[in-house]
Amino acid sequence: MKDKTFHYTNPEMVKYLLSKTPIEGSVLDAGSGKNKVWFKELRGEKYECEIDDGVDFFEWDKKVDWVVGNPPFAGNEIDERGRHPNLIPQWVEKSSKIAKQGMAFLINHKVVNFLTTARLEKLKQKGFFLTKMIIVSDKRWFGRYYYLIFTKENN
């Protein structure tokens, strides 16, 4: 059976990635997790959502300047094949509705394919452009991870 050990984002990686993110104004950690590693590193006016703490990101309705974090790969429901659904497209869609300046997410190699031409065009119509991609790895995790930064800056 596959090891189900959960490894939170390395705090040093979070510090590095946030240092590359041009956050100004209010910021929401959209899925802070039990260890709140992203939330702890944010400065200024900051908010957090964590479903296990009773704050569901998909119910959040306050506009913020930035949305950041490491979204969960799967939801709680299991599909007819016994697999968890990929929440990344919905996560980015929701973020684009509440972020006024930008959004940045750490995702794994398995879900980077959500960046279809159609989805990028939808984001462009909302004024968001992929302005930076940082590729990182963590020996505890399989594969590469992609930190995607979307801003209202056309590139």
Side-chain angles (χ1 to χ4, degrees), residues 103-122:
M103 47 194 183
F105 308 104
L106 181 64
I107 61 172
N108 72 20
H109 68 282
K110 292 180 182 178
V111 297
V112 77
N113 289 335
F114 92 91
L115 280 175
T116 63
T117 304
R119 286 194 179 111
L120 288 172
E121 185 58 34
K122 277 179 143 177

Side-chain angles (χ1 to χ4, degrees), residues 7 19-20 23 26-27 39 47 63 70 96-97 99 112 115 127-128 132 149:
H7 297 287
S19 77
K20 303 298 182 189
I23 297 172
S26 59
V27 60
F39 185 73
Y47 304 94
K63 295 267 187 179
N70 185 352
S96 71
K97 290 178 181 177
V112 77
L115 280 175
F128 285 102
K132 189 178 282 188
I149 302 174

Side-chain angles (χ1 to χ4, degrees), residues 18 21 23-24 26-31 38 42 47 49 57 60 62-71 91-92 94-106 128 147-150:
L18 288 175
T21 312
I23 297 172
E24 292 181 8
S26 59
V27 60
L28 171 66
D29 178 349
W38 291 79
L42 297 173
Y47 304 94
C49 289
F57 173 62
W60 182 270
K62 179 183 172 99
K63 295 267 187 179
V64 292
D65 295 306
W66 278 83
V67 177
V68 300
N70 185 352
W91 201 269
V92 173
K94 173 66 176 182
S95 298
S96 71
K97 290 178 181 177
I98 61 172
K100 297 185 283 187
Q101 294 179 20
M103 47 194 183
F105 308 104
L106 181 64
F128 285 102
Y147 187 63
L148 309 175
I149 302 174
F150 295 88

Side-chain angles (χ1 to χ4, degrees), residues 15-153:
K15 287 178 191 177
Y16 171 74
L17 295 174
L18 288 175
S19 77
K20 303 298 182 189
T21 312
I23 297 172
E24 292 181 8
S26 59
V27 60
L28 171 66
D29 178 349
S32 59
K34 289 182 181 179
N35 70 346
K36 306 196 183 303
V37 67
W38 291 79
F39 185 73
K40 289 176 186 176
E41 293 301 324
L42 297 173
R43 301 292 170 249
E45 184 182 349
K46 61 184 185 175
Y47 304 94
E48 65 176 313
C49 289
E50 176 50 51
I51 198 161
D52 289 339
D53 294 340
V55 185
D56 186 339
F57 173 62
F58 291 108
E59 294 176 10
W60 182 270
D61 61 358
K62 179 183 172 99
K63 295 267 187 179
V64 292
D65 295 306
W66 278 83
V67 177
V68 300
N70 185 352
F73 174 67
N76 294 326
E77 301 82 26
I78 297 177
D79 69 14
E80 66 279 354
R81 291 175 281 186
R83 295 184 299 186
H84 291 284
N86 177 357
L87 289 177
I88 302 303
Q90 299 96 314
W91 201 269
V92 173
E93 173 69 22
K94 173 66 176 182
S95 298
S96 71
K97 290 178 181 177
I98 61 172
K100 297 185 283 187
Q101 294 179 20
M103 47 194 183
F105 308 104
L106 181 64
I107 61 172
N108 72 20
H109 68 282
K110 292 180 182 178
V111 297
V112 77
N113 289 335
F114 92 91
L115 280 175
T116 63
T117 304
R119 286 194 179 111
L120 288 172
E121 185 58 34
K122 277 179 143 177
L123 288 172
K124 180 180 173 184
Q125 291 170 5
K126 293 179 180 186
F128 285 102
F129 301 88
L130 179 61
T131 52
K132 189 178 282 188
M133 180 187 299
I134 300 170
I135 303 170
V136 294
S137 64
D138 184 320
K139 291 181 182 180
R140 301 170 303 160
W141 300 343
F142 177 76
R144 298 290 173 259
Y145 283 73
Y146 301 86
Y147 187 63
L148 309 175
I149 302 174
F150 295 88
T151 67
K152 296 264 179 150
E153 177 184 328

